[in-house]
Amino acid sequence: MDFQALNNDQRREAVNSQQRFQALRDAKEAYDAHRGSLTWLQSKGREYLVRSYYDKAGLRRQASLGARSPKTEKMKADFEAKRAAAEDRLKNLRDTMERQAAVNRALGLGRVPLIGARIMRALDGGMLGSGIRILGTNAIYGYEASSGVRLDPGFATTEDIDLDARDGLTLVADDDVSEGSLMKILRRLDTSFERAKQTFRAVNRDGYLVDLIKPMQGPLWKKAPDKIGSDPEDLTAVQIEGLDWLQNAPAFEAVAIDEKGQPVRIVAPDPRVWAAHKLWLSRRADREALKRQRDAAQAKAVGALVANYLTHLPFDAEQLRMLPKEVVDSAARLFAKQDSAARA
């Protein structure tokens, strides 16, 4: 398995991107904590300090913080000063990130197709990592980013891994996902998204697919939600055998770079479990032959990434106890360290 190692400039700017992106996320969190306003309202001859804000559903809320007094006056002044500082810091870091993106583009660091990156950013407002994880090719971009290498596009035809993820994004939903609407999020990004005949799938005018999948339901008496929200037109997750392994795997978080040089947070299953699951899929007789070949190539590639670069993730049966023993045993060969796994 061949990889392309990042050069010194690329490695330096990849690290800079990750650090600046984290600073931007922290600044956005501080800014969000001071959204809304504090105002004085008259009631029965007295003034009260009221916090006005919009909740996650977009509804305006108000909460009284007490009658006007030196304490509430200071509360209002402190809030406004902190909000102004948070807004200024957020603006400066966004400007910094724009300059960083230009550097990333010049160095050829962009990997994640733009539309997939935009969707993942939209999900990062609360769903990503807390109910939804990324599967498929987009997960590989996260594994690559953490490894400091990229998969060599020059594979032999029989082992072509086809890292072009422009054809779709696959999301796996946990049982506890219950808020928001996936279709609303998609349509805010691209109004051409519509639910397909397969109600687990959305598709836009360019044929880009977003699939919502979930593990097979456990006991028949246990009814698990199959939608993100209450919208009857939202996607309905389709149940897929073997996904409980990915759902129960530790989360793997990485910051990758999209085609425009902007960082994007990816939360995917542990790459060891991901690779073992892909190998298992590649051996299923009921799976299409072309998909089996691609599954096997992807399993081999991610297994090699883990063995040679993500060495803090050893192939350990105890850490992979969410997998059946026969799946662990058959995947062991994927994680054999190679003598020379990278090339410049």
Side-chain angles (χ1 to χ4, degrees):
M1 180 63 63
D2 289 334
F3 298 98
Q4 292 180 330
L6 300 182
N7 62 37
N8 289 334
D9 289 337
Q10 289 174 320
R11 281 195 293 269
R12 181 187 65 246
E13 296 308 326
V15 171
N16 286 341
S17 296
Q18 292 168 1
Q19 293 175 341
R20 288 167 176 164
F21 181 60
Q22 185 57 54
L24 179 63
R25 286 176 61 83
D26 292 343
K28 178 67 165 56
E29 184 177 347
Y31 174 76
D32 287 345
H34 293 86
R35 293 179 68 178
S37 62
L38 296 187
T39 57
W40 300 109
L41 291 182
Q42 289 275 354
S43 177
K44 298 180 180 179
R46 299 186 68 184
E47 281 188 311
Y48 291 86
L49 185 61
V50 174
R51 172 79 182 271
S52 298
Y53 63 96
Y54 289 89
D55 64 16
K56 291 183 178 180
L59 299 176
R60 189 167 183 264
R61 304 289 187 183
Q62 288 188 323
S64 176
L65 301 178
R68 188 160 194 162
S69 67
K71 179 181 178 181
T72 52
E73 286 178 352
K74 183 178 185 303
M75 187 184 300
K76 185 176 188 297
D78 289 348
F79 176 87
E80 291 174 348
K82 289 179 180 178
R83 183 179 61 184
E87 185 175 9
D88 184 62
R89 177 169 173 75
L90 181 60
K91 180 182 182 303
N92 289 338
L93 283 168
R94 281 176 171 164
D95 291 343
T96 299
M97 203 70 253
E98 285 296 325
R99 294 191 293 271
Q100 181 68 56
V103 172
N104 293 344
R105 290 195 299 272
L107 290 174
L109 283 173
R111 291 288 279 167
V112 185
L114 190 57
I115 185 169
R118 292 177 63 205
I119 295 171
M120 285 186 275
R121 287 195 188 96
L123 293 172
D124 205 8
M127 291 184 187
L128 186 64
S130 58
I132 279 184
R133 293 184 185 181
I134 306 302
L135 296 186
T137 302
N138 287 278
I140 300 179
Y141 291 125
Y143 305 146
E144 272 190 342
S146 290
S147 303
V149 298
R150 53 179 56 167
L151 291 169
D152 189 341
F155 287 118
T157 303
T158 55
E159 293 186 350
D160 184 4
I161 198 169
D162 184 14
L163 260 195
D164 189 346
R166 290 175 179 80
D167 57 345
L169 179 67
T170 302
L171 310 173
V172 58
D174 291 344
D175 288 343
D176 59 355
V177 177
S178 59
E179 293 185 358
S181 168
L182 190 53
M183 283 304 303
K184 287 181 180 179
I185 290 173
L186 295 176
R187 285 172 177 156
R188 280 200 296 267
L189 298 172
D190 182 344
T191 56
S192 72
F193 267 111
E194 297 290 343
R195 191 171 73 170
K197 289 182 179 179
Q198 306 101 319
T199 57
F200 64 88
R201 172 171 291 170
V203 58
N204 73 354
R205 67 167 67 91
D206 298 318
Y208 188 87
L209 306 177
V210 177
D211 289 348
L212 182 65
I213 61 179
K214 63 178 294 184
M216 296 292 291
Q217 187 173 317
L220 294 178
W221 51 265
K222 183 181 178 183
K223 176 61 177 175
D226 53 13
K227 292 185 178 180
I228 299 297
S230 58
D231 185 350
E233 294 301 312
D234 208 357
L235 300 187
T236 301
V238 62
Q239 297 184 31
I240 303 293
E241 185 179 355
L243 284 187
D244 54 324
W245 308 337
L246 298 174
Q247 186 187 67
N248 294 324
F252 184 92
E253 182 174 334
V255 176
I257 307 296
D258 74 14
E259 293 174 322
K260 287 194 172 182
Q262 291 284 356
V264 56
R265 177 173 172 255
I266 298 176
V267 181
D270 185 299
R272 296 167 295 182
V273 181
W274 192 97
H277 177 261
K278 277 289 184 178
L279 184 64
W280 173 79
L281 281 177
S282 74
R283 294 174 174 176
R284 288 181 61 93
D286 59 350
R287 192 159 172 82
E288 296 175 29
L290 288 176
K291 289 184 177 180
R292 292 202 307 270
Q293 294 172 23
R294 190 168 188 254
D295 292 335
Q298 290 184 337
K300 181 180 178 182
V302 173
L305 278 176
V306 172
N308 293 279
Y309 300 100
L310 302 177
T311 53
H312 64 292
L313 299 174
F315 185 74
D316 180 83
E318 174 59 25
Q319 294 187 32
L320 302 177
R321 58 187 178 277
M322 72 290 300
L323 294 170
K325 184 179 184 302
E326 61 271 18
V327 173
V328 174
D329 292 343
S330 65
R333 64 178 179 81
L334 295 175
F335 303 95
K337 186 175 178 61
Q338 301 170 12
D339 294 332
S340 179
R343 67 178 184 176

